[in-house]
């Protein structure tokens, strides 16, 4: 993203998704990031992936901090969150907090925990 | 679901998700199914999983047909769809069509292809 250094002082948002060997898998995740950037042009936004796709969360976080983010919010774009993610992700965040002790790091609810998302998916399922 | 035989003659909806070893992973998928049932009580709705969780799509389809569904719509609750899913799912549907030649089987867009979903996820990412 050009001009990112000018956005210093803002919070950053990392859209965290699973990842896949298939580059096309990332398209909807990147589309969400574009929409975030359109809605809030001053916000730093990055995608990150747990496996198989790049960047990983550690790289995305370092990138945000280098760009001047004063805090980072991780939004898990996961409908279901398994034990792996529920237990491993908090450990990964602890590691990132140790690496960047002066940058607050928040973990948002997974999208599958958002009633608005569940309602919309039900409406979509009923579209014919 | 009790009383399912009384719902004969309707289309059925299968919410297809990835699946996980972790039973809690299925909770949001089942929550969407409950919302579909609340919005459209006469609709047959089932969850099905590609791997690791039960039932699989073949079982869910057989269940729908046994319950009297006159057609089935498969809604992929996948944000990203990799090559595996884009190529294997159509083959799986062809197999099901051969098994149930008198029951039309439709494949809906994946939720990651729905602009409304992408917009909502961007709004959620920007909530603080």
């Amino acid at each position: 993203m050009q001009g990112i250094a000018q956005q210093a002082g803002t919070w950053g948002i990392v859209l965290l998704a699973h990842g896949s060997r298939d580059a096309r898998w990332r398209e909807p995740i990147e589309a969400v990031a574009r929409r975030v950037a359109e809605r809030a042009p001053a916000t730093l936004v990055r995608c990150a992936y747990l496996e198989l796709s790049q960047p990983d969360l550690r790289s995305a976080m370092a990138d945000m901090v280098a760009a001047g983010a004063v805090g980072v919010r991780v939004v898990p774009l996961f409908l279901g969150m398994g034990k792996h993610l529920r237990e491993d992700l908090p450990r990964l965040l602890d590691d990132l907090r140790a690496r960047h002790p002066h940058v607050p790091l928040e973990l948002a609810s997974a999208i599958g925990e958002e009633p608005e998302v569940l309602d919309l998916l039900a409406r979509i399922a009923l579209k014919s």
Side-chain angles (χ1 to χ4, degrees), chain A residues 45-124:
Chain A
V45 58
R46 290 287 182 280
C47 303
Y49 303 93
L50 277 188
E51 49 188 70
L52 300 170
S53 299
Q54 288 299 324
D56 62 11
L57 186 55
R58 184 182 292 187
S59 301
M61 176 80 181
D63 186 31
M64 288 264 170
V65 173
V70 298
V72 172
R73 188 158 172 265
V74 176
V75 182
L77 297 189
F78 288 80
L79 205 50
M81 284 184 66
K83 192 172 175 182
H84 177 77
L85 190 54
R86 286 200 313 273
E87 296 183 358
D88 293 352
L89 181 56
R91 275 197 291 268
L92 182 54
L93 294 183
D94 285 344
D95 174 64
L96 292 177
R97 287 185 183 111
R99 284 170 181 267
H100 305 284
H102 304 299
V103 182
L105 181 58
E106 289 183 2
L107 179 60
S109 300
I111 57 166
E113 296 174 295
E114 295 282 348
E116 269 188 293
V117 171
L118 304 177
D119 284 340
L120 177 58
L121 298 185
R123 286 204 305 277
I124 286 173

Side-chain angles (χ1 to χ4, degrees), chain A residues 6 30 61 83 128:
Chain A
Q6 296 161 16
E30 293 170 351
M61 176 80 181
K83 192 172 175 182
S128 59

